[in-house]
Amino acid sequence: DTAVSQTPKYLVTQMGNDKSIKCEQNLGHDTMYWYKQDSKKFLKIMFSYNNKELIINETVPNRFSPKSPDKAHLNLHINSLELGDSAVYFCASSPRRDTDTQYFGPGTRLTVL
Amino acid sequence: DAKTTQPTSMDCAEGRAANLPCNHSTISGNEYVYWYRQIHSQGPQYIIHGLKNNETNEMASLIITEDRKSSTLILPHATLRDTAVYYCIVRAGGYSTLTFGKGTMLLVSP
């Protein structure tokens, strides 16, 4: 009965590969987010979707493409992986786009070799 | 969103109150103060938020100064499981996003 879940938890891959990270929330929330936490532990917003519609894109390279098949899912696909993409990626959700509280998933640690 | 300043780290003895300060001297009238924490290897967790008045919930209390330029998060009886990085975030209402800074690493010791 996990509220916000992500798969996989760990992802190790070679430079140049394409990979996806999946996120699902069972809270009935309208809004979902992707954050990136780099090696210096800074947590930065990447994308936000509201009811399957992209509402925030924080100048993320277009190698990153979020996809929301329905409002309970927000997947992150990354093309042509680079060393600098190594980080922990967190998915989050909130009841609405203007809601105070965001609920975060456990994170996916991506390592690009 | 207004910038916040927090101490890099703090220590607290188990069972004692942990008081985590945050400066937000450029806060605007419509900006709220939020606190999140991140326990090692987990996703951030919402703690509490407020606008002007002091707030309390089952996790913590938030004290905001009258001029709103600073606030303090209080964990009344810290436990070892409260060891985490605590983030003070100032965010306008509406559709703005959360901007995380460096936070304060709170270490609760036996």
Side-chain angles (χ1 to χ4, degrees), chain A residues 17-66:
Chain A
N17 284 350
D18 303 337
K19 291 294 179 185
S20 292
I21 305 171
K22 295 184 177 181
C23 177
E24 176 181 2
Q25 54 94 4
N26 61 7
L27 298 166
H29 290 172
D30 286 348
T31 309
M32 296 185 72
Y33 312 81
W34 276 109
Y35 288 82
K36 177 181 179 181
Q37 188 166 40
D38 59 25
S39 57
K40 296 183 178 179
K41 303 298 184 184
F42 285 113
L43 193 64
K44 295 181 181 178
I45 182 74
M46 299 174 67
F47 298 103
S48 176
Y49 269 70
N50 186 68
N51 273 321
K52 303 193 297 175
E53 178 186 348
L54 178 67
I55 55 173
I56 293 171
N57 180 342
E58 289 290 325
T59 60
V60 176
N62 57 15
R63 296 183 296 104
F64 290 77
S65 54

Side-chain angles (χ1 to χ4, degrees), chain B residues 1-61:
Chain B
D1 291 340
K3 183 179 177 179
T4 61
T5 305
Q6 299 177 252
T8 302
S9 63
M10 293 184 65
D11 294 326
C12 180
E14 188 178 19
R16 305 298 290 267
N19 298 286
L20 292 95
C22 179
N23 272 315
H24 31 78
S25 58
T26 60
I27 192 170
S28 300
N30 68 338
E31 289 181 317
Y32 291 74
V33 180
Y34 288 80
W35 284 84
Y36 278 73
R37 73 179 182 184
Q38 187 173 22
I39 296 170
H40 182 62
S41 296
Q42 296 184 21
Q45 177 189 23
Y46 166 82
I47 302 173
I48 199 166
H49 76 281
L51 182 63
K52 294 181 183 177
N53 300 321
N54 298 337
E55 302 287 344
T56 296
N57 63 20
E58 66 278 4
M59 289 183 69
S61 294

Side-chain angles (χ1 to χ4, degrees), chain A residues 35 37 41-43 56 90 97-102 104-105, chain B residues 34 36 38 42-44 46 49 91 94-95 97-98 100 102:
Chain A
Y35 288 82
Q37 188 166 40
K41 303 298 184 184
F42 285 113
L43 193 64
I56 293 171
F90 288 99
R97 59 190 295 183
D98 60 349
T99 309
D100 308 313
T101 306
Q102 293 184 19
F104 284 78
Chain B
Y34 288 80
Y36 278 73
Q38 187 173 22
Q42 296 184 21
Y46 166 82
H49 76 281
R91 171 179 178 260
Y95 304 151
T97 59
L98 294 174
F100 288 81
K102 297 181 181 180

